[in-house]
Amino acid sequence: AQKITQTQPGMFVQEKEAVTLDCTYDTSDQSYGLFWYKQPSSGEMIFLIYQGSYDEQNATEGRYSLNFQKARKSANLVISASQLGDSAMYFCAMSPNAGNNRKLIWGLGTSLAVNP
Amino acid sequence: DAMVIQNPRYQVTQFGKPVTLSCSQTLNHNVMYWYQQKSSQAPKLLFHYYDKDFNNEADTPDNFQSRRPNTSFCFLDIRSPGLGDAAMYLCATSSDLGAPYNEQFFGPGTRLTVL
């Protein structure tokens, strides 16, 4: 069965430091996509970054990068130079690429607090 | 800006009183989703529309219904809300047309309180 595991319920980081949020996944599919979403206390789910299973390079989007290790089935999110506005819940999710299954499989999330 | 809009942002209803939540999108996406998210939990997919085709999740209670009258709008109807239905309801959209992956765009959510 497909599954996403986020083992860190809560994380703290000092402002301006980097932080890594862990995500491991389980799937027997060869083709899949991995996502990270941010959810501030306001509730809106914000897309951050995507990694395709066939992408050879790690995805980057500004201060966000995804450390993709396919053999270990991990897709950790790295946030560089943390800002106070980064305090939020972070969800890792997985989806098959295209096809008829459009569901996202979600992890339980990691709550990140950025300290000034 | 193209976006997903949900109204109202906050909804208070009474136990057993029907309530409708609305979602609209200007992205012209062909897929629309409704999620239920309870405090400190991941979003739970209730159902989704692929164009006009309705896809219900097996564990979605019959109390929850949905309508999609056109591409832009989608409604979530809760026929007889119970206390356990108090949650954040998230609407999302995605496009299968030319997209290599199922990126979903979310609205701001409607926080439902049941008294």
Side-chain angles (χ1 to χ4, degrees), chain B residues 36-87:
Chain B
Q36 179 192 64
Q37 187 180 26
K38 296 188 176 180
S39 182
S40 302
Q41 295 184 17
K44 178 182 181 297
L45 182 64
L46 295 174
F47 25 59
H48 75 276
Y49 276 93
Y50 184 88
D51 294 325
K52 294 183 179 181
D53 293 335
F54 178 70
N55 297 270
N56 198 27
E57 292 301 298
D59 57 355
T60 298
D62 293 340
N63 198 27
F64 292 87
Q65 303 286 320
S66 186
R67 297 169 283 137
R68 188 179 187 186
N70 53 51
T71 300
S72 300
F73 285 87
C74 195
F75 300 95
L76 170 62
D77 300 309
I78 308 176
R79 294 191 297 186
S80 181
L83 298 179
D85 297 328

Side-chain angles (χ1 to χ4, degrees), chain A residues 29-91:
Chain A
D29 291 346
Q30 295 301 309
S31 178
Y32 51 87
L34 296 157
F35 302 81
W36 278 93
Y37 284 87
K38 171 185 177 182
Q39 189 175 39
S41 57
S42 59
E44 183 175 1
M45 197 71 77
I46 302 166
F47 167 76
L48 294 178
I49 198 167
Y50 164 83
Q51 180 83 41
S53 57
Y54 291 117
D55 294 341
E56 295 184 352
Q57 291 191 331
N58 287 340
T60 60
E61 289 286 349
R63 294 186 299 110
Y64 304 107
S65 61
L66 200 152
N67 184 0
F68 181 48
Q69 298 188 40
K70 193 170 182 177
R72 297 181 58 186
K73 292 189 174 178
S74 73
N76 298 338
L77 177 69
V78 180
I79 305 175
S80 63
S82 297
Q83 302 173 355
L84 295 178
D86 294 334
S87 295
M89 280 292 289
Y90 288 81
F91 289 97

Side-chain angles (χ1 to χ4, degrees), chain A residues 33 35 37 39 41-47 50 89 91 95-104 106-109, chain B residues 9 31 33 35 37 40-43 45 48 50 55 57 88 90 96 99-108 111:
Chain A
F35 302 81
Y37 284 87
Q39 189 175 39
S41 57
S42 59
E44 183 175 1
M45 197 71 77
I46 302 166
F47 167 76
Y50 164 83
M89 280 292 289
F91 289 97
S95 172
N97 276 1
N100 292 324
N101 186 350
R102 298 170 199 90
K103 299 179 188 179
L104 285 177
W106 295 84
L108 295 180
Chain B
R9 295 291 309 276
V31 191
Y33 309 78
Y35 288 91
Q37 187 180 26
S40 302
Q41 295 184 17
L45 182 64
H48 75 276
Y50 184 88
N55 297 270
E57 292 301 298
M88 174 73 87
L90 295 167
D96 275 10
Y101 54 88
N102 184 23
E103 178 189 348
Q104 295 186 15
F105 295 80
F106 285 81
R111 196 173 294 276

